């Protein structure tokens, strides 16, 4: 699905997407304009609405779209919906029919640019091609002579269409938040297409891989119930306050982390970190399920092994010397559990998957990828020296830190650090986040959940608000997205519906988050 304000470039991009990927482009605007010029009953009804820039009634458009979607070519080639759905009722009617996009692209363009684009737009009635008097003038005089202007492209009508668009767009975003990607449409059309193209190629690859590999492991009933739950969640799972989490919730996160990590590695990233603090994995809560963490690590490792990579899963060993030797509590016994876990009967353990600790001597010629389980500094002991030596030895091979805790902790006397503080912090920060998930609470509480922040590489950070629909039903609504991890202040502003004021002091219920982030 592609959406965006009038003249954000939907039609222009769709032309290129349909040409490259061979999908059927269904533009409600184009279909309606064709009905109007053919003088059909639908056209006559729609004309008045369109010419004044208003939306055509839902029932007319929805009937048109569902008929078009049922045709043979769409079933064979797939579809690209442009300009539909435009209201919550339209989104709802697609949901009812389980018609859902793989991706929802939203083009963002500033208002003044949109107005200029509309006023300068010209259409070729013969080929349907879109031109612009300045940006994309026609190729020759013959075409120029036959170009027409859309009746709804006057400045006044564009302003009113823009207002209607803004009023409606919010109501459908929560339906597609899980698959939504915002794209800056205020760049050359080729540059915009390049970004969409790489997203679609990646999506295509993910789908092919899924159908080839991972899904075979699960039995079909499991898969069905999982995808049903996933579709219902449309973004992130609900009921995250219930511990232990249901299996579907855990599987949702395992899959989410796996896809993000794979995408980052495919893009050539080699220093990565996953930060996921669902209640079962949040060390600040009173329950910390090491099994969930190790299950996540096992899924990552087996999936990379399935791709033919040799994976080394590493847990830091005891740190310090003699009577002062110790381990962070969170990791006690972890290595043993890892060794006892079920790694399948096909001899993966010991060949494609190996278990090790953290340090340069763990790095062996045959290793392809390293997964480090929650490496952390402890009082009096700093893991970063060993970690740095290990990554230096690993060179170009990917190293993934899962839930690391590399902030400085208070030292105790007699500790020798291999690097200075600044250098250690810079090293810890050199790992790029490929997956992030954190629940948001009021200051000082861990109940109720107010929202969540999620990022899955290469997409933006998504800020969700938790909404109670009825006593036992909740959902997460997408509030805003951010290119970089938002500060507590930014989160606060989004929750309060404010436009961000950079000079503003950090105040309010979320102010505390600045210290966490
Ligand atoms: P529709 O045709 O869908 O209009 P729209 O959403 O207002 O979008 P536009 O077609 O104006 O713009 P676009 O984003 O496709 O931009 P384009 O590529 O042409 O709908 C028309 C009407 O039909 C609605 O108002 C409504 O009445 C009715 N309707 C449709 N769907 C409906 C629904 N679901 N429910 C109810 N009613 C519905 O580009 C614009 C211009 O900018 C062009 O000149 C182009 O050359 C230029 N341009 C494009 N990209 C760039 C770029 N990157 N840089 C510079 N210029 C560019």
């Amino acid at each position: 699905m592609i959406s965006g304000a009038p003249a954000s470039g939907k039609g222009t991009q769709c032309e290129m997407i349909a040409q490259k990927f061979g999908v059927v482009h269904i533009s409600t605007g184009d279909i309606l304009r064709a009905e109007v010029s053919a003088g059909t009953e639908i056209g006559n009804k729609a004309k008045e609405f369109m010419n004044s820039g208003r939306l055509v009634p839902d029932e007319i458009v929805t009937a048109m779209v569902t008929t078009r979607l049922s045709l043979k070519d769409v079933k064979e080639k797939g579809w690209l919906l442009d300009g539909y759905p435009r209201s919550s009722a339209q989104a709802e009617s697609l949901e009812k029919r389980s018609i859902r996009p793989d991706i929802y692209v939203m083009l963002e363009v500033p208002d003044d640019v949109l107005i200029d684009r509309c006023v300068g737009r010209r259409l070729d009635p013969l080929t349907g091609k879109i031109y612009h008097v300045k940006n994309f003038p026609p190729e020759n005089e013959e075409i120029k002579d036959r170009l027409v202007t859309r009746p709804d492209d006057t400045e006044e009508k564009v302003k009113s269409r823009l207002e209607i668009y803004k009023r409606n767009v919010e109501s459908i975003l929560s339906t597609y938040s899980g698959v939504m990607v915002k794209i800056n449409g205020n760049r050359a059309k080729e540059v915009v297409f390049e970004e969409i193209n790489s997203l679609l190629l990646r999506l295509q690859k993910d789908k092919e891989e899924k159908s080839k590999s991972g899904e075979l492991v699960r039995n079909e009933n499991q898969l069905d119930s999982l995808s049903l739950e996933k579709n219902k969640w449309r973004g992130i799972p609900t009921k995250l306050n219930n511990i232990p989490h249901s299996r579907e919730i855990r599987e949702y996160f395992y899959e989410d982390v796996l896809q993000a990590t794979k995408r980052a590695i495919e893009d050539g990233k080699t220093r990565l970190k996953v930060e996921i603090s669902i209640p079962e994995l949040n060390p600040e809560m009173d329950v910390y399920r090491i099994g969930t963490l190790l299950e996540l690590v096992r899924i990552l490792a087996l999936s990379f092994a399935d791709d033919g990579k040799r994976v080394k899963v590493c847990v830091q060993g005891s740190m310090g010397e003699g009577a002062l030797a110790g381990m962070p509590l969170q990791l006690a016994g972890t290595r043993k559990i890892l060794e006892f876990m079920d790694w399948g009967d096909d001899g993966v353990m010991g060949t494609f998957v190996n278990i090790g600790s953290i340090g340069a001597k763990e790095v062996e010629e045959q290793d392809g990828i390293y997964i480090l389980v929650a490496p952390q500094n402890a009082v009096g002991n700093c893991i970063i020296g060993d970690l740095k030596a290990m990554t230096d030895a690993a060179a170009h091979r990917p190293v993934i830190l899962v839930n690391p805790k590399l902030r400085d902790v208070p030292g105790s006397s007699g500790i020798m650090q291999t690097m200075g503080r600044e250098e250690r912090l810079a090293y810890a920060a050199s790992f790029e986040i490929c997956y992030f998930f954190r629940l948001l609470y009021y200051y000082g509480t861990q109940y109720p959940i107010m929202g969540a922040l999620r990022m899955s590489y290469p997409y933006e950070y998504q800020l969700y608000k938790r909404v109670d629909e009825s006593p036992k039903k909740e959902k997460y609504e997408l509030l805003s997205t951010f290119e970089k991890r938002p500060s507590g202040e930014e989160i606060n502003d989004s929750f309060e519906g404010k436009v961000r004021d950079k000079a503003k002091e950090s105040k309010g219920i979320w102010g505390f988050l600045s210290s966490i982030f």
Side-chain angles (χ1 to χ4, degrees):
M1 274 180 192
I2 189 157
S3 86
S8 53
K10 302 182 292 293
T12 304
Q13 293 302 321
C14 285
E15 235 174 73
M16 296 190 263
I17 298 169
Q19 198 178 17
K20 166 106 192 245
F21 293 89
V23 285
V24 179
H25 173 204
I26 303 173
S27 154
T28 39
D30 287 351
I31 302 178
L32 285 167
R33 276 185 289 277
E35 298 278 350
V36 172
S37 51
T40 64
E41 198 187 332
I42 289 184
N44 292 337
K45 278 189 197 153
K47 190 172 178 178
E48 183 198 334
F49 293 96
M50 294 177 73
N51 287 351
S52 61
R54 284 175 296 152
L55 291 187
V56 175
D58 287 335
E59 57 282 10
I60 297 180
V61 194
T62 296
M64 248 168 46
V65 171
T66 43
T67 311
R68 185 66 190 88
L69 282 170
S70 66
L71 298 185
K72 193 166 165 254
D73 60 340
V74 175
K75 295 216 157 84
E76 284 167 3
K77 300 178 187 164
W79 49 264
L80 168 62
L81 266 180
D82 160 10
Y84 188 95
R86 258 180 161 101
S87 65
S88 53
Q90 293 181 9
E92 194 61 24
S93 60
L94 289 182
E95 284 289 295
K96 266 194 218 142
R97 293 171 173 82
S98 295
I99 299 172
R100 295 181 180 127
D102 293 317
I103 186 166
Y104 183 93
V105 172
M106 180 178 234
L107 297 174
E108 295 188 306
V109 177
D111 290 1
D112 53 333
V113 178
L114 293 172
I115 293 169
D116 174 67
R117 282 192 191 177
C118 268
V119 175
R121 169 167 45 197
R122 299 291 181 270
L123 289 182
D124 183 343
L126 211 63
T127 61
K129 201 165 165 191
I130 309 160
Y131 294 93
H132 187 278
V133 284
K134 279 187 288 170
N135 305 342
F136 307 115
E139 294 87 350
N140 56 46
E141 283 299 312
E142 192 190 338
I143 299 177
K144 186 177 169 194
D145 289 343
R146 62 174 189 243
L147 294 184
V148 293
T149 308
R150 273 170 47 173
D152 57 350
D153 269 350
T154 64
E155 183 167 344
E156 193 192 330
K157 286 179 190 165
V158 174
K159 283 185 176 158
S160 121
R161 280 160 61 200
L162 195 53
E163 211 166 285
I164 294 174
Y165 166 77
K166 287 180 181 167
R167 262 203 317 264
N168 281 296
V169 70
E170 289 299 322
S171 67
I172 57 169
L173 289 191
S174 59
T175 312
Y176 300 113
S177 58
V179 287
M180 183 172 75
V181 185
K182 289 185 177 175
I183 288 188
N184 174 5
N186 192 19
R187 297 172 295 173
K189 64 177 180 182
E190 295 77 14
V191 178
V192 178
F193 178 67
E194 205 31 60
E195 194 172 339
I196 297 178
N197 182 39
S198 68
L199 284 168
L200 297 183
L201 286 175
R202 194 174 290 138
L203 191 78
Q204 212 173 32
K205 205 167 165 210
D206 279 358
K207 280 190 123 185
E208 280 166 11
E209 273 178 10
K210 259 192 202 166
S211 64
K212 258 195 279 165
S213 66
E215 314 301 78
L216 296 175
V217 184
R218 299 192 184 109
N219 78 45
E220 283 193 357
N221 293 339
Q222 233 176 308
L223 185 64
D224 279 355
S225 67
L226 177 59
S227 53
L228 265 178
E229 279 299 324
K230 265 187 169 173
N231 286 334
K232 201 172 73 199
W233 290 324
R234 313 297 301 148
I236 51 179
T238 51
K239 300 195 185 133
L240 285 167
N241 259 332
N242 299 351
I243 294 183
H245 293 322
S246 69
R247 188 152 96 153
E248 285 76 19
I249 288 182
R250 286 199 294 271
E251 293 202 9
Y252 169 90
F253 283 110
Y254 299 154
E255 177 74 9
D256 216 21
V257 173
L258 176 63
Q259 293 310 328
T261 315
K262 281 195 159 178
R263 285 192 292 261
I265 289 178
E266 269 162 27
D267 279 0
K269 311 275 178 190
T270 56
R271 298 292 174 264
L272 293 168
K273 60 182 165 186
V274 168
E275 291 186 10
I276 170 171
S277 56
I278 50 176
E280 277 190 6
L281 285 179
N282 186 351
E284 288 147 34
M285 301 269 178
D286 59 357
V287 171
Y288 181 87
R289 291 171 64 101
I290 191 75
T292 305
L293 180 69
L294 297 185
E295 185 73 18
L296 168 64
V297 166
R298 176 170 62 176
I299 282 174
L300 290 177
L302 287 178
S303 174
F304 285 119
D306 268 358
D307 293 345
K309 296 193 176 79
R310 286 176 178 268
V311 189
K312 189 165 269 179
V313 178
C314 302
V315 191
Q316 69 196 69
S318 155
M319 303 188 294
E321 301 257 313
L324 292 176
M327 316 242 345
L329 204 52
Q330 194 190 332
L331 291 176
T334 302
R335 180 160 179 161
K336 274 270 163 283
I337 304 174
L338 265 178
E339 284 165 359
F340 284 127
M341 278 173 86
D342 177 6
W343 290 92
D345 300 327
D346 43 3
V348 172
M349 177 48 79
T351 55
F352 279 93
V353 177
N354 283 286
I355 295 175
S357 60
I358 295 180
K361 66 175 185 340
E362 293 298 327
V363 176
E364 293 175 286
E365 179 80 33
Q366 70 271 15
D367 299 338
I369 190 166
Y370 300 89
I371 300 177
L372 276 49
V373 185
Q376 47 197 281
N377 292 328
V379 175
N381 280 302
C382 177
I383 188 69
I384 292 188
D386 286 340
L387 192 56
K388 169 110 178 24
M390 182 170 184
T391 48
D392 285 349
H396 60 277
R397 288 172 279 185
V399 178
I400 307 160
L401 313 183
V402 180
N403 277 5
K405 283 208 297 191
L406 300 178
R407 269 175 295 179
D408 260 13
V409 288
S412 63
S413 58
I415 305 305
M416 294 285 291
Q417 300 289 10
T418 47
M419 283 186 271
R421 183 171 189 276
E422 290 300 311
E423 210 187 328
R424 273 183 283 129
L425 293 181
Y427 172 72
S430 68
F431 285 81
E432 192 177 328
I433 294 191
C434 63
Y435 187 81
F436 181 90
F437 188 92
R438 177 185 279 276
L439 290 170
L440 305 173
Y441 305 90
Y442 276 118
Y443 176 69
T445 69
Q446 278 170 349
Y447 183 86
I449 297 170
M450 300 305 292
L453 188 61
R454 168 183 177 271
M455 192 281 285
S456 169
Y457 178 89
Y459 308 118
E460 294 176 306
Y461 280 85
Q462 299 174 320
L463 176 64
Y464 291 88
K465 180 180 181 184
R466 193 186 66 83
V467 181
D468 285 313
E469 286 188 303
S470 57
K472 286 201 161 167
K473 223 167 151 223
E474 58 175 5
K475 65 173 182 180
Y476 283 83
E477 276 179 0
L478 186 74
L479 274 187
S480 32
T481 59
F482 302 85
E483 264 176 45
K484 295 211 175 79
R485 185 151 85 195
S487 63
E489 246 183 280
E490 287 170 311
I491 292 177
N492 193 32
D493 285 350
S494 286
F495 267 82
E496 289 177 0
K498 284 187 204 153
V499 178
R500 184 145 167 69
D501 174 4
K502 285 205 165 34
K504 197 173 69 59
E505 281 295 300
S506 170
K507 280 200 197 95
I509 55 169
W510 309 100
F512 78 99
L513 283 167
S514 330
S515 61
I516 294 178
F517 285 79

